[in-house]
């Protein structure tokens, strides 16, 4: 049975053609000698391996056939109308880059009046430079600006030594800015060459680029031309453009899924390293929005489950909406992965972290009392109901008279409790008097600590009276329960965490308690720039050490460079640190895509802003090919969301408010910036980005400079998250005074 390799498609197939393509490829994978397939060579083609096949009366597939003693492999290039397919087949070749060893599909341009001739050794040597060309690109514009790559000490020899085409390398040396880089990258001879150019233009050292793309091993040129081609198709960087299809179900998903995303099958070599590597302990991947951290986590969960079918794998994140999205995407990635239901079952369990804590407490039943006593100082078994939002305010009002005025804040008390008291399992005033309070930003005298502790005791007593715990307490008690049972009773073999930056101390104690220390125990994806919940923490304080097993992703696959540049401007001037406490920079993030500059729409009044929003959203949805639900309006809170929904409806633009439910087809959506976490849209309007709304009022955080600065970081992060939901088009509006978080200009 022939093997099918799919080349990444430059243009999507129409729905009717997808079904025909799948039927054609399914038959091909079963028996390529079927007469109805009409698998035929092309006379005088540039590559003797090229074939065409009949998809229907008017369309033909273009393929390359690689034959060895063991098997036949077909590389599927695409489908075109009959005559165009013949022309494509005549002028296209599959070769191995002689420097990098990567397989590449290239176009051969014959000289005027000539018929293209087959390449003598297409998989071992590069054709003459005048013969093999990339997509035509305009010559670089000569300016007085310094060449970008030369500023980093890069020469054309560095580029050609990596395997970049000499003509492409020469053009690359002339580019002077990011926009020119993206324009040239779009015309790269192969996708891996585009990725190399984008990384190098961001200042990534040549040797690091070599390592990231898997170019740091000697190219194996042994064996036949066919064997070299097969190795080139399997090269880590080759898998950016070629995917090996394992079975009919995977073939169907690749061809037919109308919403097929390249992340499911075409991974960057660096992403693949994270997926495949075995770690001697906890490991971490960091990266900005859209760099593929979640992709890595999903593929790694799948790989762990495939490697050991009876393994107990947990994939968790902060919110239930994100957990549901992960479960949906894992099913799209591989429907055959076993989804586990209960705690500790074989397969992959997907759950929000607070839901997971509840599962542990439900299993514990009345045996939870000892753990509750360790954490809270009282052996309560009432652990399944959650404490109300006003509990801290009520405790302060009841017994907080001794607190200084600036400390009478629910935000301060909640932060003190979750970052100082709970993680250290403090149950008495004496313990609290002795505990260090690193990073809290405000020092407390002994009398002030006594006043704080009185509020803590009141808070806990009220919760016991109502039979409740708050979410942080539930996670801490669940962790203590698992710790009491010991390593032999840990419910999971592997724990993977997405959006780790949003988890609190109790969550990390729980995650550490869910899996015994060992190989591949914890794998964490995080981006400190997207922390919109909780306080800054350092993993090592909770028994999780990832130093030496942590790397970054810097290439954005979701949004355009123009949108990314605008979003990064929101972060400028602020200091961020990752979960290891190390400085987290953002000036080296780059996108592989280009698009329009974001529109900035200042308005005098809210009425004007709603008029502008109606015109913009209405115009977007009236464009040909625009799917309504790929248009989103993002706002700061639910009150603003409902106001926008009603305001647009009054102006004849029907939109749908989205809260906890999934996004449904048929209308543009309006949602809060918090709810938008984990989503993406083709077109996004950030509405109401005015002072007093973004950032929101900071009064509750003015108890300490550290709390205030941290709250401002979260506000910046929220706006950054919202802006990076836009794949293609971004607009920003406000009425009145613009937000102080917006960059000038």
């Amino acid at each position: 049975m022939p093997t099918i390799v799919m080349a990444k498609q430059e243009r999507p197939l129409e729905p009717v053609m997808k079904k025909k393509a799948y039927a054609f490829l399914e038959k091909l994978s079963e028996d390529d000698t079927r007469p109805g397939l009409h698998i035929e060579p092309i006379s005088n083609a540039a590559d003797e391996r090229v074939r065409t096949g009949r998809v229907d009366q008017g369309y033909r597939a273009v393929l390359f056939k690689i034959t060895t003693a063991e098997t036949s492999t077909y590389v599927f290039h695409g489908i075109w109308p009959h005559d165009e397919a013949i022309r494509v087949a005549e002028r296209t070749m599959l070769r191995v880059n002689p420097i990098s060893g990567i397989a590449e599909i290239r176009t051969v341009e014959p000289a005027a009046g000539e018929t293209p001739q087959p390449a003598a050794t297409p998989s071992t040597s590069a054709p003459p430079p005048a013969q093999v060309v990339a997509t035509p690109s305009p010559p670089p514009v000569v300016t007085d600006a310094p060449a970008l790559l030369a500023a980093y000490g890069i020469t054309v020899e560095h580029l050609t030594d990596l395997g970049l085409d000499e003509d492409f390398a020469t053009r690359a040396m002339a580019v002077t800015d990011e926009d020119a880089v993206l324009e040239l990258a779009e015309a790269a001879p192969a996708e891996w060459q585009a990725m190399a150019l984008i990384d190098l233009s961001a200042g990534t050292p040549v040797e690091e680029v070599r390592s990231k793309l898997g170019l740091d091993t000697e190219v194996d040129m042994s064996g036949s031309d066919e064997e070299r081609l097969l190795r080139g198709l399997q090269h880590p960087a080759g898998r950016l453009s070629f995917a090996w299809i394992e079975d009919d179900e995977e073939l169907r998903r690749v061809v037919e899924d109308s919403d097929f995303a390249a992340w499911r099958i075409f991974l960057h070599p660096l992403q693949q390293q994270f997926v495949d590597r075995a770690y001697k302990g906890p490991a971490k991947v960091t990266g900005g929005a859209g760099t593929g951290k979640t992709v890595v986590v999903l593929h790694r969960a799948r790989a762990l489950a495939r490697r050991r079918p009876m393994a107990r794998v947990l994939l968790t994140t902060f919110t239930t909406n994100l957990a549901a999205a992960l479960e949906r995407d894992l099913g799209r990635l591989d429907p055959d992965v076993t989804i586990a239901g209960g705690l500790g079952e074989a397969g992959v369990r997907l759950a929000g972290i607070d839901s997971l804590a509840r599962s542990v407490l439900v299993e514990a039943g009345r045996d939870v009392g000892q753990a509750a006593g360790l954490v809270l100082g009282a052996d309560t078994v009432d652990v399944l109901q959650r404490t109300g939002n006003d509990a801290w305010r009520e405790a302060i009002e009841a017994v907080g008279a001794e607190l200084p005025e600036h400390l009478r804040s629910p935000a301060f008390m909640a932060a003190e409790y979750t970052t100082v008291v709970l993680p250290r399992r403090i149950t008495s005033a004496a313990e609290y008097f002795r505990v260090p309070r690193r990073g809290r930003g405000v020092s407390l005298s002994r009398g002030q600590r006594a006043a704080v502790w009185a509020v803590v005791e009141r808070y806990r007593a009220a919760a016991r009276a109502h039979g409740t715990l708050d979410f942080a307490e539930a996670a801490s008690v669940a962790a203590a329960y698992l710790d009491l049972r010991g390593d032999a009773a840990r419910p999971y073999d592997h724990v993977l965490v997405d959006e780790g930056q949003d988890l609190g101390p109790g969550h990390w104690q729980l995650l550490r308690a869910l899996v015994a220390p060992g190989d591949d125990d914890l794998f964490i994806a995080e981006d400190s720039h997207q922390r919109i919940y909780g306080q800054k923490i350092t993993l090592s304080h909770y028994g999780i050490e990832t130093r030496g097993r942590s790397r970054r992703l810097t290439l954005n696959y979701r949004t355009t460079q123009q949108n990314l540049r605008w979003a990064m401007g929101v972060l400028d001037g602020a200091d961020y640190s990752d979960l290891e406490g190390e400085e987290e920079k953002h000036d080296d993030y780059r996108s592989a895509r280009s698009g329009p500059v974001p529109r900035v729409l200042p308005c005098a009044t809210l009425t004007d802003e709603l008029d502008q929003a109606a015109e913009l959203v209405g115009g977007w949805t009236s464009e040909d090919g625009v799917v309504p639900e790929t248009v989103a309006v993002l706002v700061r809170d639910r009150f603003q969301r409902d106001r926008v929904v009603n305001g647009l409806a009054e102006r004849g633009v029907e939109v749908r408010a989205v809260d906890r439910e999934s996004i449904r087809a048929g209308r543009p959506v309006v949602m809060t910036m918090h709810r938008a976490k984990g989503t993406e849209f083709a077109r996004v309007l950030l509405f109401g980005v005015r002072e007093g709304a973004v950032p929101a009022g900071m009064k509750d955080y003015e108890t300490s400079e550290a709390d205030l600065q941290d709250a401002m970081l979260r506000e910046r992060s929220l706006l950054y998250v919202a802006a990076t939901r836009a794949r293609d088009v971004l607009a920003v509006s406000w009425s009145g005074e613009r937000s102080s978080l917006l960059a000038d200009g």
Side-chain angles (χ1 to χ4, degrees), residues 26 30 85 131 255 314 381 408 467 489 579 606-607 655 679 708 723 744:
E26 183 183 35
E30 294 171 352
Q131 186 181 19
V255 175
L314 171 68
V381 295
R408 295 177 191 172
L579 289 175
L606 177 60
T607 298
V655 293
T679 64
L708 180 60
D744 293 335

Side-chain angles (χ1 to χ4, degrees), residues 273-274 277-283 300 518-521 523 549:
Q273 290 176 33
F274 285 122
R277 182 172 297 168
Y279 294 96
K280 298 292 185 181
R300 185 168 175 85
D519 295 351
D520 296 323
D521 53 351
F523 186 86
R549 295 183 294 272

Side-chain angles (χ1 to χ4, degrees), residues 323-335:
L326 288 172
E327 183 166 358
R328 179 199 65 213
D329 285 343
L330 183 61
R332 294 162 70 191
L333 173 64
D334 188 350

Side-chain angles (χ1 to χ4, degrees), residues 297-573:
V297 169
L298 286 166
H299 278 266
R300 185 168 175 85
R302 177 202 195 198
L304 290 169
R306 282 186 161 192
R307 197 177 304 159
R308 292 177 53 207
M310 295 308 295
R312 302 164 302 166
V313 181
L314 171 68
L315 175 49
T316 188
T317 188
F318 184 65
T319 69
T320 55
N321 283 325
L322 287 177
L326 288 172
E327 183 166 358
R328 179 199 65 213
D329 285 343
L330 183 61
R332 294 162 70 191
L333 173 64
D334 188 350
D336 294 330
V337 170
T338 300
I339 302 299
L343 190 72
E345 291 183 5
V348 181
R349 169 85 183 274
L350 298 105
I353 188 67
D354 291 319
S355 173
L356 193 67
R358 180 179 176 84
S359 294
V360 173
L361 297 177
V362 168
E363 182 186 89
R366 302 194 69 81
D367 292 337
V368 77
Q370 183 181 0
L374 287 174
V375 175
L376 306 173
D379 294 357
T380 180
V381 295
D382 295 324
V383 295
L384 300 183
Q385 301 300 316
R386 297 294 160 254
T387 304
N389 294 331
D390 294 329
W392 280 115
R393 188 174 303 280
E394 292 168 358
I396 292 170
E397 290 174 354
V399 298
E402 298 301 318
L403 280 173
E405 181 65 31
H406 69 283
L407 297 183
R408 295 177 191 172
S409 160
F412 169 79
M413 290 300 307
E416 184 79 2
Y417 191 56
T418 57
T419 60
V420 177
V421 176
L422 280 178
R424 294 169 176 81
R425 297 176 180 173
I426 296 172
T427 60
S428 69
E431 292 173 313
Y432 182 58
F433 292 157
R434 296 192 301 267
V435 71
R437 303 173 56 257
R438 292 189 298 270
R440 289 296 294 126
V442 56
S443 60
L444 298 179
S445 67
R446 184 179 179 85
Q448 290 170 336
R449 287 202 186 204
V452 169
W453 188 253
V455 175
V456 169
E457 286 191 317
R458 176 69 178 210
Y459 178 83
R460 285 178 166 177
R464 284 196 300 274
H466 290 92
T468 66
L469 299 184
D470 65 30
F471 287 101
E473 289 172 329
S476 295
V477 171
Y481 169 75
L482 293 173
D483 286 340
L484 288 171
R485 297 203 311 174
D487 285 351
R490 306 289 182 189
Y492 291 102
D493 302 304
H494 310 287
V495 171
L496 299 97
V497 184
D498 193 31
E499 304 289 357
Q501 73 281 345
D502 283 326
L503 304 186
H507 295 141
W508 289 111
Q509 289 181 315
L510 174 58
L511 291 167
R512 179 65 281 177
L514 284 164
V515 59
D519 295 351
D520 296 323
D521 53 351
L522 279 160
F523 186 86
I524 301 157
E526 65 117 343
D527 175 19
S528 66
H529 301 121
Q530 294 189 73
R531 181 173 61 88
I532 59 177
Y533 302 102
Q535 291 78 33
K536 285 194 291 188
I537 67 162
T538 302
L539 286 178
S540 58
H541 296 168
Y542 307 101
I544 302 171
E545 182 57 73
T546 60
R547 295 178 191 273
R549 295 183 294 272
S550 176
R551 290 190 69 181
R552 295 176 73 228
L553 297 170
T554 58
L555 183 62
N556 184 295
Y557 296 92
R558 177 192 301 142
T559 193
T560 64
Q561 181 64 29
Q562 290 76 11
N563 292 345
L564 181 63
R565 189 182 300 142
W566 190 94
M568 289 300 176
V570 174
L571 303 178
D572 288 345

Side-chain angles (χ1 to χ4, degrees), residues 244-254 265 302:
W244 292 70
I245 305 302
E246 298 182 5
D247 52 43
D248 286 347
E249 182 54 38
E250 185 170 24
L251 177 64
R252 182 184 297 276
R253 295 199 303 275
V254 170
I265 196 162
R302 177 202 195 198

